[in-house]
Amino acid sequence: MSLYLDLAAEPVKSMGNARELIKSDPLLFDFVRVKTLASLGSARPARPVEAIGTPVQIVHAEKDNIFPADYIKKLFDRLTCKKELKIYPGLPHYMIADFVGVFAPDVVNWLNENLAVARA
């Protein structure tokens, strides 16, 4: 993966960076075969993004080097369902593990709003 991603540039609070995390965690793979990447890149989704009807909230790190914000915004713009995009300034890709307290309140509020509508 280091051939196409700069894993050393992705900080991980307790491990230094994504490269060190992958090297030290026996449950993570430090490689993906080219054939696997090709299949992921050419596989069609089960349905087009525009056909998703379930409300979607995307939480995203502004400094994510793996999935850049521009890419996420393009996907978000294609959604036609009820949607919300929250981009967290200054946070890296691993915000999901390292900064739960920053984004969790937004996720909880989103769920409360949308589950209340679904129950009504």
Side-chain angles (χ1 to χ4, degrees):
M1 288 188 291
S2 61
L3 294 175
Y4 63 93
L5 292 175
D6 185 2
L7 296 174
E10 279 299 331
V12 179
K13 221 183 222 182
S14 61
M15 301 299 292
N17 59 51
R19 184 177 182 191
E20 294 303 315
L21 173 67
I22 289 172
K23 284 170 52 178
S24 66
D25 189 330
L27 299 177
L28 297 176
F29 292 102
D30 60 352
F31 69 92
V32 177
R33 292 186 175 146
V34 173
K35 184 176 178 180
T36 302
L37 284 176
S39 72
L40 290 172
S42 62
R44 297 179 61 85
R47 70 173 97 158
V49 171
E50 297 81 2
I52 296 172
T54 304
V56 173
Q57 181 191 46
I58 299 173
V59 295
H60 187 68
E62 176 194 42
K63 301 256 180 185
D64 189 327
N65 294 314
I66 296 174
F67 297 104
D70 289 346
Y71 171 75
I72 298 301
K73 287 177 186 174
K74 286 178 186 173
L75 284 175
F76 177 79
D77 289 342
R78 290 176 53 198
L79 290 166
T80 58
C81 58
K82 181 178 179 182
K83 60 187 180 178
E84 179 178 75
L85 173 62
K86 301 286 274 188
I87 297 180
Y88 296 87
L91 294 186
H93 177 79
Y94 281 92
M95 78 169 200
I96 291 291
D98 290 341
F99 298 95
V100 175
V102 174
F103 69 87
D106 293 329
V107 172
V108 169
N109 289 337
W110 169 263
L111 290 172
N112 283 334
E113 289 171 13
N114 287 283
L115 291 175
V117 169
R119 283 182 259 162

